[in-house]
Amino acid sequence: MPGYELWSDKERKEVNDVLKTGILMRYGFDGPRKGIWKSKELEAAINETFGCKYAQITSSGTSALTTAMSALGIGYGDEVIIPSFTFVASFEAVLSVGAVPVLVDVDDTLTLNPEAVRKAITPKTKAVMPVHMCGSMADMDSLIAICKEHDLFLLEDACQSIGGTYKGKSLGTIGDAGTFSFDFVKTMTCAEGGVVMTNREDIYIKSDGYTDHGHDHKGVDRGADLHPFIGYNYRISELHAAVGLAQIKRLNEFLSIQKKNHGLLKSILEQVPEISFRRVPDPAGDSCSFISWFLPNEEITRAVVAELKAQGILAGNFYWFDNNWHYIRKWDHLKNAITLNSLSPELKEKVMQQANKDFAASDAVMSRCISTSISLLWTEEQIKEKGEKMVNVIRKVLKD
Ligand SMILES: *Cc1c(COP(=O)(O)O)cnc(C)c1O
């Protein structure tokens, strides 16, 4: 999955362009920057590569989500439907705008179960936020239909699925807004960074101001900018944008290696009839950053994880069910609504209520799931060796 694996002279060159002028900030300094605008260039490249009208890059994927929610006007009293399986950033962002994260079960797509989404809708629901986890997508047609029917915003967290598509459209560009993360382990990286993508000009203009203290960016004199609303500082630096600019030009190369490696490893795992694979609503659009596979039950899955560990080959295989960062089961800080600053008592109560619901349907999926991350550095030989070792472990456990 990660673009950092193929760090090269191309990234060094883009960063050096910025280091030569020393103008590390994305706004202003028009003279001394000598025509070097890496952030603007990266935004244009994002529009071009992913087919969206507008892109606002930010300091992180998390700040991109917060920005998108603010631009959509999500805040006090609103509910945002998110999946039980995601990265913690998804609920952090909802909380950061003062809204309630409404957690909903995932199905064998490892993303929002549309029926569970329907059941979770209340008069306070403002948005549905599918998270395209582990390289592949949610069932977008169903979610689009639900959002239309109930007049809800669709906000895609596509942070883990850069380069994935659904029926020909890039993930992250289908809803009212969508986000990518360019943190260090994502498909392409800025070291730290993110983006809000949208086809709506109003959302873009709000995102642009929100990430820079509410500046309207209308003139050439930054000091004279007006501030039509209160914003924050979620700006990216030119150094980070420069890394991303080199990486986006290499994205097709990364994706084609990912797909090749994914295909080869999958063909080896397929030899075991007891293994099934994650359902992918549009298989052609899988970005292939992970292979996610299921074993028949939790007991077998745990035994396979233990045996992979014992043989020293667990690295790169994720058992999310036991993971602190990605699944509701171990989010004790959320279940107890532990924050450093006080939440309103009403919000705190709702957060705890949401996080302590019954997630048996998600457990039934996640307790049997292992995701294997796809490296860009593997040779064919290494994939065969890795795949065969994994298959041997699984066969051994199944026999016992
Ligand atoms: C990485 C990630 C984020 C947040 O990205 P950062 O850039 O690390 O803040 C959000 N959502 C998901 C699903 C992610 O994987």
Side-chain angles (χ1 to χ4, degrees), residues 120-141:
I121 293 171
T122 75
K124 302 210 162 202
T125 309
K126 189 90 179 239
V128 176
M129 186 165 101
V131 183
H132 304 299
M133 283 299 277
C134 305
S136 175
M137 79 293 298
D139 175 357
M140 292 303 283
D141 280 349

Side-chain angles (χ1 to χ4, degrees), residues 60-62 65 86-87 89 131 133 157 159-160 181 183 186 193:
S60 70
T62 311
L65 285 170
T86 179
F87 180 54
V131 183
M133 283 299 277
D157 178 343
C159 290
Q160 291 200 5
S181 161
D183 80 20
K186 298 304 205 275

Side-chain angles (χ1 to χ4, degrees), residues 72 130 151 163 275 335 347 373:
L72 291 167
D151 196 18
I275 293 181
K335 289 180 188 179
L347 179 58
S373 71

Side-chain angles (χ1 to χ4, degrees), residues 25-302:
M25 184 175 177
R26 72 160 297 177
Y27 296 113
F29 303 92
D30 293 26
R33 67 167 60 243
K34 301 200 170 82
I36 304 285
W37 298 92
K38 297 298 180 189
S39 303
K40 277 189 202 285
E41 261 193 82
L42 177 54
E43 285 167 348
I46 289 169
N47 293 335
E48 161 99 22
T49 306
F50 302 105
C52 56
K53 276 200 185 142
Y54 306 101
Q56 177 65 44
I57 51 174
T58 63
S59 54
S60 70
T62 311
S63 62
L65 285 170
T66 297
T67 300
M69 283 186 229
S70 298
L72 291 167
I74 295 168
Y76 170 72
D78 296 331
E79 295 178 354
V80 179
I81 293 177
I82 66 168
S84 59
F85 173 53
T86 179
F87 180 54
V88 288
S90 306
F91 68 72
E92 289 167 359
V94 178
L95 287 174
S96 76
V97 298
V100 181
V102 171
L103 290 139
V104 155
D105 280 319
V106 294
D107 58 22
D108 60 348
T109 63
L110 304 185
T111 64
L112 282 176
N113 176 337
E115 278 319 301
V117 170
R118 268 185 199 285
K119 288 192 189 125
I121 293 171
T122 75
K124 302 210 162 202
T125 309
K126 189 90 179 239
V128 176
M129 186 165 101
V131 183
H132 304 299
M133 283 299 277
C134 305
S136 175
M137 79 293 298
D139 175 357
M140 292 303 283
D141 280 349
S142 302
L143 296 175
I144 290 167
I146 292 171
C147 287
K148 278 211 176 117
E149 194 180 313
H150 295 270
D151 196 18
L152 305 173
F153 292 125
L154 182 61
L155 169 58
E156 298 174 79
D157 178 343
C159 290
Q160 291 200 5
S161 295
I162 300 172
T165 57
Y166 178 77
K167 301 193 172 172
K169 287 187 182 163
S170 290
L171 300 178
T173 68
I174 300 165
D176 296 280
T179 63
F180 289 151
S181 161
F182 302 130
D183 80 20
F184 196 54
V185 295
K186 298 304 205 275
T187 304
M188 59 167 269
T189 185
C190 289
E192 299 287 357
V195 65
V196 179
M197 293 173 291
T198 182
N199 292 311
R200 283 179 46 179
E201 189 184 22
D202 60 325
I203 294 175
Y204 165 67
I205 290 173
K206 286 174 185 166
S207 299
D208 174 61
Y210 188 78
T211 51
D212 186 25
H213 304 293
H215 277 259
D216 67 1
H217 297 142
K218 280 192 176 148
V220 284
D221 177 6
R222 192 172 160 73
D225 276 354
L226 298 178
H227 305 86
F229 52 82
I230 295 172
Y232 294 91
N233 177 3
Y234 293 142
R235 292 187 305 256
I236 196 164
S237 82
E238 283 285 278
L239 289 171
H240 292 87
V243 175
L245 187 59
Q247 290 250 307
I248 199 169
K249 292 175 186 164
R250 306 177 67 201
L251 184 63
N252 279 338
E253 173 198 343
F254 298 166
L255 290 169
S256 71
I257 299 172
Q258 229 166 238
K259 284 181 189 175
K260 184 167 75 61
N261 292 356
H262 180 280
L264 186 54
L265 186 59
K266 188 170 180 197
S267 70
I268 298 169
L269 293 177
E270 271 168 346
Q271 294 166 17
V272 183
E274 288 86 350
I275 293 181
S276 57
F277 294 89
R278 163 204 202 150
R279 181 161 58 88
V280 179
D282 177 6
D286 193 342
S287 81
C288 294
S289 51
F290 285 87
I291 300 185
S292 297
W293 43 288
F294 300 108
L295 289 158
N297 60 43
E298 178 179 346
E299 192 193 344
I300 292 172
T301 313
R302 283 192 179 280

